[in-house]
Amino acid sequence: MEDGEDFGGVSDRSYNKLVSQEEPTPEEQEFFANQGKQKVSMSLMRPESSCNHYQRLTFLAVFAIILLAVDIGLGVHYNKLTSGQRFLTDMNNELDKLQTSYNAATQRKTEANKLLAKETSEQQLAKWELEHQSRKIKDYAKLTDEIRLQTAGLKAHMPMIKEGCRHCLPGWTFMCSRCYFFALSDDLLNRPWHAARQFCMKHGGDLAAVDTREKHLAMIELVNIYHDSSRSFYQSGFWIGLRDVEQEGTWKWLDGKRLAGSYWNDGEPNNQGNEDCAAMYPRSNPFKSWNDASCTHALKWVCEMTPNTAS
Ligand code: MMA
Ligand code: CA
């Protein structure tokens, strides 16, 4: 290149020209002068560089202290984390133990519940058994009372029976100065009125004439004592020697005497389907114990006869 190469758009020549032509301005002169002073002062300022070194050391020391503090802080934090970790592990172990004991307790509870259910059912059974036994005791108590009553009734008749032994046939009862036979034995099946009368006559008596209040009360007492409660009311009757066979509604004893005092049940005699024979029935009210029934009906009976006067 003839005129020198371009350098940043300005040729060497023009640069040199610029350098040679342009005299430094007063400002430039001052700048260069100061630059010279600064170089001199840098070489003269050796103590200032040791001061910087000291600052650096201080800075390093502070930095080291900060690092140490951070390290300590981290250590403490790590310790905290580790103890937290340990705490968590302990807690987990504790939780495991609690879970195990909870499972065991649940198992025990299930077994206890089963036992309780068994006990409850046994208790229920025992309760029912107790109720059953209590009922049985009550039944026995009732039965005992009935037996006591019957025994008392029979005992009361002991003197009468003993007396009867002197005056009446075996199996006959002495009362109100007469001998009576109650056809109670199972061997003696129920009979119609006429067949029952035949039985009494065969033994020297007749069907009973209940012609006094005293006789009636003595007889109804025995009829009540001997009452078989498994029989219905109208099957529990005893034929007596009373009929209205001659004239309907005119009741007469076998010796022909007309009925004076009577002990008919309510609504009787009703002659339902031709009922001409009278019977005595067990009743708690002894004044309502008679009924007129068909003479062909089969019932038990009561005989009466004069006692044997020969002692
Ligand atoms: C009824 C009642 C009595 C009668 C009997 C005959 C069940 O009682 O009408 O008066 O004598 O029947 O069986
Ligand atoms: Ca009747």
Side-chain angles (χ1 to χ4, degrees):
M1 250 191 253
E2 200 178 317
D3 297 328
E5 283 182 26
D6 264 358
F7 190 81
V10 183
S11 68
D12 276 352
R13 193 159 33 101
S14 27
Y15 175 71
N16 287 337
K17 189 182 170 190
L18 277 171
V19 169
S20 60
Q21 279 178 0
E22 281 182 30
E23 285 297 320
T25 61
E27 289 87 358
E28 280 169 346
Q29 282 172 359
E30 192 184 352
F31 172 72
F32 289 126
N34 282 344
Q35 253 194 341
K37 274 184 205 165
Q38 232 170 13
K39 273 178 192 166
V40 173
S41 67
M42 282 290 280
S43 58
L44 291 172
M45 289 292 285
R46 286 263 177 243
E48 199 181 317
S49 98
S50 76
C51 183
N52 280 344
H53 188 67
Y54 178 74
Q55 275 179 346
R56 256 184 237 131
L57 273 177
T58 311
F59 172 75
L60 279 174
V62 169
F63 187 65
I65 287 166
I66 288 168
L67 275 181
L68 192 66
V70 168
D71 189 38
I72 290 168
L74 281 173
V76 168
H77 186 61
Y78 176 75
N79 262 349
K80 270 187 191 166
L81 280 179
T82 316
S83 62
Q85 182 74 31
R86 263 203 308 277
F87 177 72
L88 274 179
T89 314
D90 289 351
M91 284 302 285
N92 271 340
N93 288 342
E94 205 58 39
L95 204 65
D96 283 350
K97 276 185 205 161
L98 281 174
Q99 184 68 47
T100 312
S101 6
Y102 174 75
N103 289 346
T106 310
Q107 175 81 13
R108 279 202 296 278
K109 191 187 159 204
T110 311
E111 280 163 16
N113 274 346
K114 271 186 207 161
L115 209 66
L116 186 70
K118 201 175 153 216
E119 286 287 332
T120 310
S121 105
E122 275 173 11
Q123 220 174 49
Q124 180 67 55
L125 206 67
K127 197 181 149 203
W128 286 338
E129 173 98 51
L130 194 71
E131 280 171 10
H132 175 67
Q133 294 296 348
S134 302
R135 269 200 303 274
K136 266 174 86 174
I137 287 170
K138 272 186 197 158
D139 288 349
Y140 284 139
K142 210 171 147 194
L143 206 66
T144 311
D145 278 352
E146 275 173 26
I147 291 169
R148 198 175 294 134
L149 203 73
Q150 285 192 8
T151 313
L154 290 173
K155 268 187 187 164
H157 289 95
M158 280 300 281
M160 196 168 69
I161 291 162
K162 274 184 192 157
E163 182 75 358
C165 288
R166 285 201 282 132
H167 299 288
C168 305
L169 296 172
W172 288 60
T173 304
F174 183 77
M175 49 184 202
C176 305
S177 309
R178 305 283 292 168
C179 294
Y180 292 92
F181 178 83
F182 289 82
L184 297 164
S185 162
D186 285 340
D187 298 340
L188 298 170
L189 297 175
N190 291 5
R191 298 177 186 191
W193 189 90
H194 284 281
R197 186 176 188 202
Q198 271 173 11
F199 176 94
C200 297
M201 290 173 82
K202 203 172 107 187
H203 288 87
D206 210 331
L207 283 171
V210 198
D211 51 3
T212 68
R213 182 179 176 276
E214 184 199 11
K215 273 165 110 180
H216 174 69
L217 292 179
M219 284 171 70
I220 193 76
E221 192 184 341
L222 285 187
V223 165
N224 275 337
I225 288 173
Y226 297 136
H227 173 46
D228 177 358
S229 52
S230 68
R231 286 172 181 274
S232 73
F233 177 75
Y234 283 101
Q235 281 183 327
S236 316
F238 289 76
W239 289 127
I240 55 175
L242 183 69
R243 292 186 295 174
D244 70 341
V245 70
E246 288 168 12
Q247 191 184 345
E248 181 55 41
T250 304
W251 292 89
K252 284 184 181 175
W253 297 109
L254 293 175
D255 62 4
K257 270 194 236 158
R258 286 190 57 171
L259 175 66
S262 60
Y263 308 98
W264 298 112
N265 194 7
D266 291 338
E268 307 295 346
N270 59 359
N271 192 37
Q272 187 180 285
N274 193 28
E275 298 179 314
D276 291 340
C277 294
M280 174 187 278
Y281 297 78
R283 295 286 280 171
S284 51
N285 182 345
F287 301 100
K288 292 183 177 182
S289 74
W290 289 1
N291 171 46
D292 61 332
S294 164
C295 301
T296 57
H297 201 66
L299 290 178
K300 296 201 176 293
W301 61 94
V302 192
C303 304
E304 178 184 346
M305 69 185 280
T306 311
N308 185 1
T309 44
S311 54

